[in-house]
Structure formats: C-alpha cells, structure tokens
Amino acid sequence: MKLPLKKQRLGELLLEQRFLSQEDIHQALTENREGSDRLGMTLVKKGLLSEEGLAQALALQYSLTYYPLTHFRIDPDFFKMIPVELMYRHSFIPYQEQDRFLTVMIADPAHLGAMDELELVFKKELRLGISTQKAILDVLKRSEGSSHVLKKIEADFRPRFTREDESMEESLSVESLSRDASPVIKLVDTMILNALQKRASDIHIEATEKEMMVKYRIDGVLYPAMGPLGIQYHAPLVSRIKVMSELDISEKRLPQDGRFKMRIEERKVDFRISILPSIFGEDMVIRILDKESITTNVSELRLDKLGFNPNDLKRFRMSIIEPHGMVLVTGPTGSGKTTTLYAAISEINTAEEKIVTIEDPVEYELHNVVQIPVNEKKGLTFVNGLRSILRHDPDKIMVGEIRDLETAHIAIESALTGHLVFTTVHANHAFDVIGRFINMGIEPYHFISSLNCILAQRLVRMICLSCKQKVTISRELCENSMLSYEQYEMASFYQGKGCPECNGTGYKGRTAITELLDLSDEIREMILERRPSSEIRKAAIGEGLTTLRQSGLQKVFNGETTLREINRVTFIE
C-alpha cells in the first residue's frame, strides 16, 4: 500500500482553506519548537483547531475522503478477521470490503502502523479514509468490539455435559482459586467494561439449577448481557468479586454487602455489591456508580434539564428558594430522587451559605458542599449525623432518606428552626407521604408547619431519536390504557424501531415525570382534620395539580416516550 503524496504542507493548506490565520500557525510552531507533537496535534491541544477540522484538512492534504462516522457500526464479520485489540492499538477501523479492496478509517495518515501488515495477512489492497480519533474510538465502543471479546471469553465458560452423579458444586480452595483466576478475572473485567459502554446502572448475576445468568439494567430495565454460562463457574466468579470487595469468601449462607473501586479509561468508578443466598447459589447485584462522569454532568445540572413540566418546575423552584422549611421528594428506588435534590442544590448553591448533606452513599460530589457518608458499622447513622450537622451551623441541609421516627423528628425540627431541609421518603405518590409521616407518629401540625412542598416522581425511558418513527395506536392498547380509541385513533404516537445507538431497544436515556403537591391553606386544613387522602387528592387536582399519569401522558403526546412505557411506571387511572 502506498500513501498518497501530499500536495502541500499542512500549515499552507490550513491558511488556504481559511481554517486558521497566519498568527495562529506561527504561535503554534513557536510554542512547539522543542516539542514532539506535529503541527496538527499542537493546534488541536491549544484549542485553535477542532479534531474535525484537522481530519478534514488531512483528507485534503492526502487527497483522501473524510468520513464523520456519526452512526456507523462495524460489520461483526470483520472482528473474525481482525483482532479488536489491533484496532484499538493502531486507531483504525475496517469500513468496507469490496472485491480485492479493504477500506479502513484512520485518524493520521502519517502513522500507518499495521496497515502494510494487514495487506499481507488479508491479501487485499487497502484503501484509506480519514476520520477523527474520537469518532473511531466511539465506533469501536458502540460496535461489536467489546461483545466480540466477551464472546471469546464466554467460549471457555459454556455449560459442559456432566454425568448424572457428578456434583456441580465447586470446592473452595487456594488451588481452585488460583486455577480459575485468569479466565475469571478476564470475565469480570470484560463484563464490567461492557456494562459501562452500554450505560448499565447495575449488573445482576443469578444462579439457576444448571446455569448462571448475567443481566444488565439499562434505563431501568433488565436485559441479558450474554448467553447462559455453566453453573460450575458461578462460585469462582462470585469469589473473585468477594475478594475485590474484601468480603468473606467462605460465608455463603448469609447476605453480604461490600464495595470496590476500579480505574477505567482514566476515571475511577465505584461499585457497590449486594449478595443474597438463594437455593441454587448466591445471587449478586453490582451497582455501578460512575462518580467522575456524573460529577462532570452535575456541575451543569439544572432542574429544567430533568423533564419537569413547566408548571411543576416553576412551583418547585419557588419552594427551594424559601428561607426555611422542608422540601420532600418521594418515589421508589431508582426514580431519580437524589438527582432532583442535587439539581435543586446546584441551583441555589452559593458561597454565602453553608450546605451540608448526609447520604447513604454519597453518589455525586459537589463543589462548596460538605457531604457526609453514612457509616452504620462505625455508628454514623442518619440520626447521629443529623444531630452533629445541626451543631455545624448549616443554612441548608440534605438528608438522604427519612427511614424512622427519630430522623423525621429532627428533620422537622430543623425545618421549623430556620433551616431549609431537602430530603426523600419512599411512597407511591405525593398524598401517601402525608399518611406515612402521620403513621410514624408525627403530629400533623408540626409536619404541615414545616412543609414547603411534596414532589413525587418517576423515570420513564425516552424514544431513541436515531430510530424514532410514527406509529398507529391499536384499539387494545388504547382501551387497556383507559383512553378513548375514537378520540385518539388519529393522534400522533411514536416509538423506536431499534438501532445500534439504542442497542435495539428503541429507547435511549430517561426523563422525569412529576406530581407536585403545593400546600395551600385548604389542603393544610384538610390534613390537620385528618381527612382521607382521596379527598385531599381531589381538592389538589381541583387546584391544578398534575398527576404522575397526566404528566406521563403529556410526554406521550409530545412524542418523547411511549404509552406502554407510561403504563409500566404509573397506575392506570
């Protein structure tokens, strides 16, 4: 393979195409006189030229074609011919095979690396295309690269036939652990890497009588991560993760919780482990907390990015700027309560006030906020921590969750004595929160006096924008959703067809649906009179409350999500 001759120097081309000025190029050359970087990379590092601009200029310089590769996915057959490790090492991807030619994308034509070697191995002439380094790596991540590595590792773990009387249990010993270390480490590491690339929040490892299943939770829904593995490999896998989490590998009959950290792609990721004994072995859930990635997003996190309807957003913002009181967010586990509270704190976070939080665990890290992690083993509970926080002269407090009467009492007293308290509680909707606190033994008067608002929320999956298409609603789905088919049969409904961007699910990302209960004088009086929640709900709707169901249906009609998704997370009214 011969590299096309350069028609002119890169600096001259950048000037001619008006990518840069003479002053920019002169400055880059002067500062990099003793450096090892070439002109193009120096310009990119200094922010004078984008990666796309450099790639387009190199394409012109070498008379090659520039490819943005926005939604490109590598043909899985290429991974049978070319090792994915080689693609990562030399930053190239195969694009197209035609007759005796193989087209590959590269980021820098001056670094051909393995190109000549590939021509010899595959006996095909290479044709080159130009793209950016980032685009090439993104294609590798969303293509079958990681899946191919996983399949190679899976091959060693497939279920094997055993005799009827042969025991499927693995005996725990130093010898067995050392024998299984290499393939098990490979499986664990690849399983975690693949989960991060697919945006999974949890990894579930489940044991059946003859198989082990691995599943990923993506956007709140479980998907198989790979085919079934042999049950004989379940014990070494669990033992490996126990060792990483510093848990007791000999204890198999009691639940255990732990955590570990890994450095992946230059960032630290936290993992929380929960192990439960089942009839066929230990079931394990690994919660993925990518703090550095989340913290980067949290610095720009605002409530208007979470999906609130405009009316709820306006009223919630009014509640969080009050000088004192309690802001309650409710919903099941995984409904985005913590994200909402952090978005609220981010909006009111100034250097003029002291903000202290106590959480289990500290999931996001915020600038200018004192964050305390609960450590029940050492005696640091929500109750003890909250008492200490009040002696720390705070202006605003966040309590991760109210779990008991004592925590509720202290939080309410804090709100009544001049602090703004943010907290969460588990309840089905905003009106259940009232009954929950009263049943705890809290006096309605104290609770109502301290309360600014109650926000109930859920997370729903959004339709993938890359494969979004218009569909006709069926009569059955309409009637099952308690909607009039005659009224909505001509309405516009959308769903995702399934594409590489969304891993074939039709959904990508999640958004919040909300139900905000403002405490008007009438609502306060009804609560003090201990009126049924159904009456309070009816009065609140009359005052303009948007229920979770109504908020979800509005997103369906706006083309953001599907009716099936709303039916999955809300009660059909």
Side-chain angles (χ1 to χ4, degrees), residues 121-134:
V121 171
F122 301 115
K123 298 178 180 178
K124 289 184 179 293
E125 185 177 339
L126 291 192
R127 287 178 173 173
L128 301 181
I130 299 287
S131 192
T132 65
Q133 176 89 356
K134 182 180 182 301

Side-chain angles (χ1 to χ4, degrees), residues 533-545:
S533 61
S534 59
E535 288 187 27
I536 300 174
R537 179 182 176 85
K538 186 176 180 181
I541 292 173
E543 292 181 356
L545 176 135

Side-chain angles (χ1 to χ4, degrees), residues 331-568:
T333 302
S335 60
K337 300 187 296 296
T338 305
T339 302
T340 296
L341 289 182
Y342 270 95
I345 288 174
S346 295
E347 290 201 1
I348 62 173
N349 186 4
T350 66
E352 298 174 351
E353 295 180 309
K354 180 88 168 185
I355 302 176
V356 186
T357 75
I358 180 164
E359 308 161 65
D360 183 20
V362 174
E363 294 188 14
Y364 308 156
E365 295 173 8
L366 281 181
H367 178 65
N368 203 36
V369 175
V370 178
Q371 295 171 274
I372 304 168
V374 166
N375 189 339
E376 294 189 359
K377 291 181 180 178
K378 300 292 184 180
L380 178 54
T381 62
F382 278 114
V383 173
N384 296 337
L386 190 50
R387 285 201 185 101
S388 299
I389 287 173
L390 292 174
R391 294 192 291 269
H392 210 65
D393 190 29
D395 295 292
K396 295 175 174 61
I397 302 168
M398 174 180 153
V399 183
E401 183 185 346
I402 290 181
R403 298 175 179 172
D404 52 52
L405 176 61
E406 196 170 1
T407 308
H409 268 303
I410 300 173
I412 289 170
E413 288 298 324
S414 304
L416 290 172
T417 53
H419 303 91
L420 184 61
V421 180
F422 297 88
T423 189
T424 72
V425 66
H426 284 177
N428 285 329
H429 49 72
F431 304 95
D432 278 353
V433 173
I434 300 166
R436 178 84 187 273
F437 272 81
I438 292 173
N439 288 335
M440 276 186 188
I442 300 293
E443 281 296 323
Y445 177 77
H446 289 102
F447 177 54
I448 295 308
S449 300
S450 67
L451 201 56
N452 291 355
C453 73
I454 303 173
L455 177 77
Q457 72 175 60
R458 299 289 188 278
L459 291 179
V460 296
R461 292 179 293 170
M462 293 190 294
I463 299 170
C464 174
L465 296 177
S466 299
C467 60
K468 183 177 177 180
Q469 61 181 10
K470 193 173 181 178
V471 295
T472 303
I473 192 169
S474 68
R475 179 181 290 273
E476 181 184 8
L477 178 59
C478 219
E479 291 176 350
N480 289 342
S481 306
M482 299 300 287
L483 297 176
S484 168
Y485 179 70
E486 288 71 22
Q487 182 179 354
Y488 293 103
E489 63 176 325
M490 302 304 293
S492 296
F493 290 88
Y494 297 87
Q495 70 179 29
K497 184 179 179 181
C499 68
E501 286 293 312
C502 59
N503 296 315
T505 64
Y507 298 96
K508 187 174 183 181
R510 289 190 288 179
T511 186
I513 57 173
T514 56
E515 175 181 278
L516 183 70
L517 176 61
D518 261 339
L519 274 81
S520 65
D521 291 340
E522 183 184 353
I523 298 295
R524 289 178 189 272
E525 288 175 7
M526 293 179 74
I527 295 172
L528 290 174
E529 293 171 5
R530 298 181 184 257
R531 303 280 283 276
S533 61
S534 59
E535 288 187 27
I536 300 174
R537 179 182 176 85
K538 186 176 180 181
I541 292 173
E543 292 181 356
L545 176 135
T546 303
T547 66
L548 284 169
R549 181 74 178 176
Q550 291 169 343
S551 178
L553 289 174
Q554 188 58 55
K555 290 190 181 295
V556 172
F557 300 139
N558 290 342
E560 297 176 51
T561 188
T562 65
L563 195 53
R564 285 188 176 87
E565 180 67 6
I566 297 301
N567 291 345
R568 184 179 70 86

Side-chain angles (χ1 to χ4, degrees), residues 5 36 85 125 155 231 237 240 244 312 344 373 415 425 474 478 496 502:
L5 294 174
S36 58
E85 296 86 353
E125 185 177 339
I231 190 64
L237 181 70
R240 164 63 183 166
M244 294 168 68
D312 284 357
V425 66
S474 68
C478 219
C502 59

